[in-house]
Amino acid sequence: MGIYTDKHKLDEGPCVICNWPITEQHRIRPGLKYGGKYTKENVVNLCKGHHKLVHKLIRQAEKQSNFNEYEFGDFIKAAKQLYDESRTI
């Protein structure tokens, strides 16, 4: 899985969902609201579209009463599942 080694430099590697060349960073545990840091273990490579999708999934889950049942990595898995399902249509 492509990850950041520091806040400003990407590791070589594609989007972890679609293998498109990466354009953005995503903290698995978001930083502003949930205290996620830019660490090797907390950052993955995502293309712009999948980065937006993961944040949309997080916002949707926050509106649900069972949000606390999710792990932040679940949103990346859900985005990957949506991507895989769309490829079989």
Side-chain angles (χ1 to χ4, degrees):
M1 183 181 294
I3 51 179
Y4 283 93
T5 55
D6 64 40
K7 184 175 178 179
H8 303 289
K9 183 179 177 187
L10 288 170
D11 279 349
E12 295 295 320
C15 171
V16 298
I17 294 172
C18 68
N19 291 322
W20 192 259
I22 57 172
T23 59
E24 298 186 359
Q25 60 192 7
H26 173 72
R27 288 175 284 183
I28 298 167
R29 173 177 291 279
L32 292 176
K33 202 170 189 179
Y34 300 103
K37 305 287 185 198
Y38 283 97
T39 63
K40 187 175 184 178
E41 297 78 21
N42 193 47
V43 183
V44 295
N45 298 328
L46 292 175
C47 67
K48 187 173 186 172
H50 285 120
H51 193 186
K52 286 182 179 181
L53 175 60
V54 168
H55 280 278
K56 181 179 180 179
L57 292 170
I58 290 170
R59 284 190 306 273
Q60 287 174 345
E62 286 175 328
K63 293 177 183 178
Q64 298 174 354
S65 60
N66 63 344
F67 174 73
N68 292 329
E69 295 174 14
Y70 293 98
E71 295 290 329
F72 287 103
D74 292 342
F75 300 109
I76 294 170
K77 291 175 191 171
K80 173 71 171 147
Q81 183 177 356
L82 288 170
Y83 172 76
D84 290 344
E85 288 172 2
S86 73
R87 306 279 296 167
T88 60
I89 294 175

